[in-house]
Each structure stands twice: as structure tokens, then as C-alpha cells.
Amino acid sequence: MQNRQLGTTGPHVSAIGLGCMGTSAMYGGDVDRAESIATIHAALDAGITLLDTGDFYGMGHNELLINEALRTAPAAHRERALTSVKFGALRGPDGAWTGHDGRPAAIKNFLAYSLQRLGTDHIDIYRIARLDPAVPIEETVGAIAEAVQAGYVRHIGLSEVGAETIRRAAAVAPISDLQIEYSLVARGIEDEILPVCRELGIGITPYGVLSRGLISGHWNRERTTDAQDFRNRAPRFQGENLDRNLELVEALRKIADTKGVSVAQIAIAWVLAQGVRRSTAIVPLVGSRRRDQLAEALGALDVTLDADDLAAIEEAVPADAAAGARYPEAQMAALDSEKK
């Protein structure tokens, strides 16, 4: 497994991280706990060191799952594992999303519960999931910086914030990485956000590199999802938007076939290639729920894309070619990264 340093001040992590959200929430269906733990074990065995979660994934379920997986993993794997935790999303007992809280007092509370659920004395990277519009980012980052000084947190991250907010946060304390959606069909960070991160020495840990399965090569028009699946409400999976987006996938499949790799592998390899291309540490998070999905994703590490390959991929899937927003309207409004 190759390794990357997240920015100039962040930790050294595996070239690919494991996004653990889907093992607890958001994609519907019955989650197989044993398979989820086996997948985390397989990731650790393959050399993945970065495990990404949120305290609101399954209302704590995901942190408890990671705790169990690490407790039952070989000691050497457990010692290398790094936890990246998002906090601040507020939820009701019915699962409803009710806002975000970035107040310093709330951060101490969130942190205390996460440490308990994870069964650890520190979190490696801690970040608010979405900017709290009622709390200046300086106060939120300052509170995490106090947790760093106290030894409860090792590094400070950001999530889905824009260039101005990144600059303000970095003026308070060192920032290891920005977690934000980035893929062939979500390239909004390239114009302003990515250059600012490069300038300030901040790494990128992209999620949604397969656009929640849309560009995995495994999605089709006839596939159905249950009521709990986020994709039921995601604009890119609806009606004519889906038809257009699947046309892009088929164009990408032709290139993947010529390389002898899967669509998912070439899509992940494209994100990996952007780190070298843009002189920025980019560590994609793959949201594998099963070992077979993980094995396919890891195969992207063996895919080499030269300049001609990259040009062909971007001709097949041009920037801004995707139909539909990446989130429903209300959620898009909560993204500081989308504000101009």
C-alpha cells in the first residue's frame, strides 16, 4: 500500500481510505454486521490505515461498529489505524436532520461521546461535518485546537467548506485536510477550493468518488432501492437525469474496457491521478460495504493513467456534464462549499 501525507502538517495515511458510513446508514437495506466488520478487517489487512466515520452515522452505530472491528483486528493493524470523525450534525429520534452545531461547548460534548463509543483516548482527525452558520469557523476550529492541546485530538480537518472559510480556519490552527465530494461528475473544487488547499498545504480526502454508486458501472435504470436509501431523493438518480448520467457511464466503460479494468477502478484511478497532476495530497475515501466491493476499489491502485488516458476520460465525461445536483435542494443550501 502506498502512503500519502495529508497536507504539510497532517498524518501519513494509506493512499486510499475506507469510508464507513454505508455500513450503518444512508443506503438502505439490511446491513450485515459480520460482513461490515470483515470488510474493515480486509481493508486493514490490505494496508488501509484511514477509517472515516461520523458520530451521526446511525446515531453512533458506526463508531461502535468501528470499535468492534478494531478490537477484534490483529494488534499490528489496530495500532496503524487512524480514525477520522465528523461531528455537529443534529438528528431527531426519528432520524430527521435538524441542523448543525459548531459551538465550543457542544464540541466538547460530541467529542466525549465519540471517544467513548470508539473506545479510544484520542481521535486522529476531527472535523465539523457542515459549517454552522450561527458560529464563526474561528470558534469551531479554536475549540478543536484546544482538544488537540489536551491530547484528545491529533489533527484538525474541515468538511464541505469554501475557499474563504478554509483561509479563516487555517489562520486559527493547522488544518490537515478538507473532506469534500470530488469525482469525475463532481469537479466543483477545481476552480477555487483545490488551489487554496494547495497554497495552504492542506490535503484533500474526497468522498463520493463513485458518486454513491452512480458511476461504479454497477448501477442501471431498473435497479430499485428502499425508502431508507439516500439515492431515492438524490437528483442525479431521478428520471431523465439518471438516463443522461448512465450515458456518461457507458462512455467511460468503453475506456475502461480498453484498459482491461472496471468502470469503478478507472473512476477511482482518475481521482488518484489528480493528486500528482495538481500537486496536492488527494486520498480518496471508498465507501465499500462488502469485501468484494473493497477488492474492486483496491484494484484502482494498480491502474496507470497516462496523459492520453486522462484526456480520453475527460472527453467521455466532461466537467459539468452530470445531470442534476449532487444533493437535494435543502442539503445543497447547507453547503458552504457551494456558495459563491
Side-chain angles (χ1 to χ4, degrees), residues 8-21:
T8 56
T9 65
H12 287 81
V13 300
S14 50
I16 283 180
L18 182 66
C20 298
M21 179 186 74

Side-chain angles (χ1 to χ4, degrees), residues 17-324:
L18 182 66
C20 298
M21 179 186 74
T23 56
S24 292
M26 301 305 290
Y27 293 128
D30 295 327
V31 176
D32 185 331
R33 189 179 187 87
E35 179 61 23
S36 296
I37 291 173
T39 300
I40 295 173
H41 285 170
L44 296 171
D45 187 55
I48 286 178
T49 61
L50 182 62
L51 304 179
D52 182 78
T53 185
D55 63 10
F56 49 91
Y57 292 166
M59 282 74 84
H61 178 278
N62 205 238
E63 290 178 319
L64 292 170
L65 183 76
I66 291 173
N67 181 341
E68 182 177 351
L70 291 176
R71 282 191 291 104
T72 54
H77 293 174
R78 184 167 60 249
E79 291 166 4
R80 289 196 299 268
L82 302 177
T83 53
S84 168
V85 179
K86 292 179 291 298
F87 68 86
L90 304 178
R91 305 191 69 177
D94 60 352
W97 303 89
T98 59
H100 298 88
D101 193 342
R103 295 172 301 138
I107 293 171
K108 290 181 180 180
N109 181 76
F110 293 138
L111 178 58
Y113 278 72
S114 284
L115 291 170
Q116 179 68 24
R117 285 189 291 258
L118 288 166
T120 185
D121 62 359
H122 74 276
I123 289 169
D124 295 287
I125 310 174
Y126 203 48
R127 72 187 86 237
I128 190 166
R130 299 288 187 267
L131 180 68
D132 181 347
V135 179
I137 191 63
E138 291 86 351
E139 293 184 19
T140 299
V141 169
I144 305 175
E146 290 180 2
V148 172
Q149 293 174 353
Y152 297 122
V153 172
R154 295 286 189 265
H155 303 277
I156 304 171
L158 297 171
S159 176
E160 285 288 358
V161 292
E164 179 184 351
T165 303
I166 294 169
R167 289 190 184 281
R168 290 169 53 194
V172 175
I175 304 298
S176 66
D177 67 301
L178 170 69
Q179 191 172 121
I180 195 165
E181 187 166 357
Y182 185 42
S183 73
L184 271 168
V185 294
R187 296 174 60 180
I189 73 169
E190 293 177 348
D191 293 336
E192 187 175 5
I193 292 174
L194 201 155
V196 167
C197 287
R198 182 172 61 240
E199 174 193 338
L200 298 177
I202 297 171
I204 305 288
T205 44
Y207 69 91
V209 293
L210 295 178
S211 195
R212 298 165 184 83
L214 179 62
I215 59 171
S216 67
H218 302 302
W219 199 271
N220 59 61
R221 195 69 178 81
E222 289 70 41
R223 183 166 172 175
T224 59
T225 56
D226 66 31
Q228 301 304 313
D229 195 316
F230 160 82
R231 291 167 292 197
N232 279 327
R233 301 173 296 282
R236 289 185 173 176
F237 287 83
Q238 309 305 315
E240 293 181 358
N241 287 346
L242 179 59
D243 292 336
R244 170 57 184 152
N245 293 331
L246 290 179
E247 289 175 2
L248 298 175
V249 174
E250 291 311 305
L252 187 60
R253 193 187 304 277
K254 293 177 182 178
I255 301 171
D257 288 346
T258 65
K259 299 282 291 183
V261 301
S262 72
V263 175
Q265 287 168 342
I266 205 164
I268 297 170
W270 180 88
V271 176
L272 284 164
Q274 302 313 301
V276 175
R277 191 180 186 185
R278 301 177 185 278
S279 303
T280 302
I282 296 180
V283 176
L285 303 171
V286 296
S288 303
R289 301 175 76 176
R290 306 189 311 266
R291 283 170 285 181
D292 61 316
Q293 293 173 330
L294 175 66
E296 181 180 24
L298 288 171
L301 292 169
D302 298 321
V303 179
T304 300
L305 300 177
D306 60 24
D308 290 340
D309 294 325
L310 292 171
I313 291 168
E314 292 176 22
E315 182 178 357
V317 186
D320 300 323

